[in-house]
Amino acid sequence: DGGITQSPKYLFRKEGQNVTLSCEQNLNHDAMYWYRQDPGQGLRLIYYSQIVNDFQKGDIAEGYSVSREKKESFPLTVTSAQKNPTAFYLCASKLFAEAFFGQGTRLTVV
Amino acid sequence: GENVEQHPSTLSVQEGDSAVIKCTYSDSASNYFPWYKQELGKGPQLIIDIRSNVGEKKDQRIAVTLNKTAKHFSLHITETQPEDSAVYFCAALYTGTASKLTFGTGTRLQVTL
């Protein structure tokens, strides 16, 4: 089946630790995106990548980092510099116009 | 950059009634307008989209209308059912360049029995 897989579904992190969220797609899409969603809020763009080995900051990139070494993979690292990391993180990929989302990772800082 | 506003933030309707969600966008170059449905704890799913060369599009109980002059578009759900309860997001995009989707802030729709 084609689609976007995010893992893990739930993630707990201690304050001061970095953590990496996985996003893999087998749709052969060039563009991939990371969004953050807080309770009752919309989708805010963290980082996006239009092509392998290239990525751009979104609206709330501070405290996050990404890499795009392979077309199918776009991992997001939440660093200790992110002051309020507890949120629901969504990965998406896009070919031309239509975007497809993964099922999300809920990150909780304990 | 593009800015998308969405109203209302919450909407409660009785089963069988219609629901309408409205969005406005700021960038006149935007030419693609999708609508996503997000169920609790899941990722958004595309339910319908419209391109700027079309004024209206229907898919069973769901329809979307676009007014390019006024820069607004709306989602219409008829004969609502409890399973329509979810958060709905509108978005706008210009497909001519490598660009990103800009989302509205979402509408929480509750269909009551």
Side-chain angles (χ1 to χ4, degrees), chain A residues 41-109:
Chain A
Q41 302 289 317
L43 304 173
R44 293 188 290 168
L45 182 64
I46 304 172
Y47 267 98
Y48 64 107
S49 168
Q50 301 289 352
I51 197 168
V52 174
N53 292 323
D54 186 50
F55 48 84
Q56 290 79 42
K57 293 182 179 180
D59 302 318
I60 56 166
E62 185 176 350
Y64 300 97
S65 67
V66 293
S67 63
R68 187 83 187 278
E69 297 177 1
K70 297 185 297 182
K71 188 175 186 177
E72 59 269 24
S73 179
F74 191 39
L76 173 74
T77 296
V78 184
T79 75
S80 57
Q82 169 50 235
K83 296 179 180 179
N84 186 19
T86 294
F88 189 51
Y89 290 87
L90 286 161
C91 178
S93 70
K94 182 166 72 71
L95 181 66
F96 304 117
E98 188 172 341
F100 296 86
F101 283 86
Q103 290 302 292
T105 292
R106 186 167 300 281
L107 172 64
T108 303
V109 174

Side-chain angles (χ1 to χ4, degrees), chain B residues 31 33 50-56 66 68:
Chain B
N31 58 358
F33 307 93
I50 190 168
R51 298 179 187 271
S52 59
N53 58 347
V54 175
E56 183 176 5
L66 171 65
K68 284 183 61 180

